[in-house]
């Protein structure tokens, strides 16, 4: 029996689950239960091995049923391809055999970025193939025009050069003594830089570009664009959070002043101007929060609002949530935000997507229908992810599908919180 090709289309499978959930007549009244059930029963996290096996299955044009193919067959195909292309098991000498390394790639949840670059040579991948693995399987940024090693890899992929050519170019790069000027300021965007880096057609042009790159201060800094995107989103989050707190405080203050005005109206001991002065002082005494008053703990308080508090006064650990595995141990909390802000942790697509979701869900500027808000979120977030070279929103990633489903609910942040709360409940749901 031949494998239905649709079963290998990770995006279509996830989209079907997504639409089955959000189009359910009960979605607006019971969104958190439907989303939670979809996450646990239909949206399974894809491992790196899943992507690699699918790629080999399709490229090798295998006819057997995909589900019945033993891992040893995938292993043998990859090992043979590496030997045919004279690609080693690692960029650096080691004791691991090629066969053991391939088995490791086929069975791991994730692998290093270097492993993907090596597979690009071993399996004769195109640039698009390698970028697919980087953005979807690893959820990292595309091949970088700022990384000399990745520029050389891309040049080789584009021209169908094998690993020996890569080694030769690396050796020439280290021996290169060209005297060149820094890259032009006109190439200050990643898109323009990528066009210049990945458009080279000769070895000489490649080595010239790399020499210019080395002479350009800050040009090879990794993660700069993604950090800039994070900083903009974080500042917007601080503004949105301050606005929400101020709106809540204003409502509470209005109630207090109304009650005080009622009490003063029955007090004959004060003149009217004294009563008015007292009410004005009450209103003036309520200081509005500025964005600068908002920190990671304030954002955590909102986005983790429904996560249960343990005996020590801290949120229960993620490992106690049934969503721990499907969300790959990720939760947006103050420690993680602080680590990113301090530079201790790199910015990930998870960070950018979560902050973008937070800002759209907390937007108090207008009252729009869920579908309008959902489309705005996709357009804005895709633009951010593409700026960071991370690729657009990917519904086959369970966390991203979760975010998209929440965005279609009447109260995105409320639904987000309710699903997290449900994941900590031990009773049957």
């Amino acid at each position: 029996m031949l494998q239905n090709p649709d079963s290998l289309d990770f995006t279509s499978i996830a989209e079907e689950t997504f639409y089955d959930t959000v189009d359910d007549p009960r979605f607006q009244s019971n969104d958190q239960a439907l989303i939670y059930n979809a996450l646990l029963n239909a949206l399974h996290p894809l491992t790196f091995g899943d992507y690699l096996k699918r790629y080999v299955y399709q490229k090798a044009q295998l006819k057997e049923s995909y589900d019945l193919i033993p891992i040893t067959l995938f292993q043998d195909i990859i090992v043979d391809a590496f030997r045919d292309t004279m690609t080693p098991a690692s960029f650096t000498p080691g004791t691991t055999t090629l066969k053991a390394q391939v088995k490791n790639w086929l069975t791991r949840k994730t692998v290093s970025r270097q492993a993907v670059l090596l597979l690009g040579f071993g399996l004769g991948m195109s640039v698009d193939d390698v970028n697919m693995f980087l953005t979807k399987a690893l959820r990292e940024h595309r091949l970088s025009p700022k990384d000399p090693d990745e520029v050389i890899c891309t040049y080789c992929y584009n021209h169908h050069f094998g690993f020996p050519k890569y080694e030769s170019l690396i050796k020439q790069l280290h021996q290169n003594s060209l005297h060149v000027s820094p890259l032009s300021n006109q190439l200050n965007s990643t898109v323009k830089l990528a066009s210049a880096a990945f458009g080279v057609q000769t070895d000489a042009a490649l080595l010239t570009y790399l020499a210019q790159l080395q002479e350009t201060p800050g040009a090879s800094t990794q993660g700069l664009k993604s950090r800039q995107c994070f900083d903009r989103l974080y500042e917007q989050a601080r503004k949105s959070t301050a606005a929400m707190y101020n709106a809540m405080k204003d409502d509470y203050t209005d109630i207090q002043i109304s009650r005080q005005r009622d009490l003063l109206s029955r007090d004959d001991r004060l003149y009217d101007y004294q009563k008015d002065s007292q009410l004005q002082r009450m209103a003036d005494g309520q200081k509005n929060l500025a964005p600068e008053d908002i920190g990671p703990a304030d954002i955590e308080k909102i986005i983790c609002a429904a996560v249960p508090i343990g005996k020590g006064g801290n949120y229960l650990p993620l490992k106690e949530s049934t969503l721990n595995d499907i969300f790959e141990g990720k939760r947006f909390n103050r420690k993680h935000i602080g680590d990113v802000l301090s530079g201790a942790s790199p910015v990930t697509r998870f960070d950018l997507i979560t902050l973008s979701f937070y800002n759209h869900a907390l937007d108090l500027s207008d009252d729009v229908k869920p579908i309008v808000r959902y489309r705005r979120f996709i357009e804005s977030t895709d633009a951010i992810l593409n700026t960071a070279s991370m690729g657009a929103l990917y519904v086959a990633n369970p966390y991203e599908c979760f975010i998209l489903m929440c965005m279609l609910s009447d109260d995105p942040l409320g639904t987000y919180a309710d699903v997290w709360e449900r994941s900590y409940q031990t009773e049957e749901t």
Side-chain angles (χ1 to χ4, degrees), residues 2-8:
L2 291 178
Q3 174 74 13
N4 181 351
D6 289 342
S7 65
L8 295 179

Side-chain angles (χ1 to χ4, degrees), residues 89-164:
S90 173
F91 278 102
T92 56
T95 58
T96 304
T97 65
L98 177 58
K99 191 169 185 177
Q101 185 72 289
V102 171
K103 183 177 181 180
N104 182 49
W105 293 333
L106 286 165
T107 55
R108 290 282 299 276
K109 287 185 177 180
T110 188
V111 299
S112 69
R113 192 173 178 88
Q114 291 294 97
V116 172
L117 299 179
L118 201 63
L119 281 162
F121 286 108
L123 299 181
M125 292 184 186
S126 66
V127 171
D128 286 343
D129 290 341
V130 174
N131 279 331
M132 182 279 291
F133 273 96
L134 291 174
T135 59
K136 293 186 176 180
L138 297 192
R139 302 184 187 110
E140 294 184 5
H141 60 81
R142 292 187 287 267
L143 288 160
S144 173
K146 300 179 181 181
D147 184 314
D149 196 59
E150 294 191 12
V151 172
I152 293 177
C153 287
T154 305
Y155 176 73
C156 291
Y157 302 148
N158 271 331
H159 293 84
H160 309 291
F161 294 145
F163 191 82

Side-chain angles (χ1 to χ4, degrees), residues 312-323:
N314 296 317
Y315 294 109
L316 290 181
L318 184 54
K319 65 182 180 181
E320 295 187 27
S321 165
T322 54
L323 298 177

Side-chain angles (χ1 to χ4, degrees), residues 158-205:
N158 271 331
H159 293 84
H160 309 291
F161 294 145
F163 191 82
K165 178 68 171 182
Y166 162 82
E167 288 186 305
S168 173
L169 290 168
I170 285 289
K171 185 177 181 180
Q172 292 180 62
L173 173 64
H174 292 157
Q175 296 174 343
N176 197 347
S177 59
L178 292 175
H179 298 288
V180 297
S181 301
L183 291 168
S184 168
N185 289 333
Q186 294 177 347
L187 300 177
N188 56 3
S189 78
T190 301
V191 173
K192 293 178 180 177
L193 200 63
S195 177
F198 302 152
V200 295
Q201 297 298 317
T202 65
D203 293 4

